[in-house]
Amino acid sequence: AGCHRVGADRPRPAAAAPSFAEIAARREVDEGWLRRFLAEEHLPMPTFRLRPEEREDVIAYFAALARR
């Protein structure tokens, strides 16, 4: 949340990263894309070491955003 806007009511952070909703709305973003993305490093973003169930939770969160 320090880089990405989580809620639509929050101002965009100075880093100007897209909001999670904007990412979820992209055509290329599906479960496969998210699994590949979460498995790689994306500097300067911090690298999060997620357990498999945490990774699935993140994917489910983005799927819920995409359905809105």
Side-chain angles (χ1 to χ4, degrees):
C3 296
H4 295 274
R5 186 173 58 183
V6 178
D9 60 335
R10 307 279 167 100
R12 184 177 296 277
S19 72
F20 292 151
E22 290 170 320
I23 294 169
R26 293 177 181 172
R27 286 188 186 147
E28 72 273 13
V29 176
D30 59 15
E31 289 184 15
W33 186 93
L34 286 164
R35 280 192 184 90
R36 288 187 302 277
F37 183 86
L38 293 170
E40 301 171 359
E41 289 188 23
H42 298 280
L43 300 175
M45 290 175 41
T47 299
F48 296 104
R49 306 278 187 236
L50 300 175
R51 295 187 312 269
E53 61 271 12
E54 292 172 321
R55 193 169 28 254
E56 292 304 311
D57 288 344
V58 170
I59 291 167
Y61 173 71
F62 275 90
L65 289 175
R67 289 190 297 268
R68 288 187 183 177

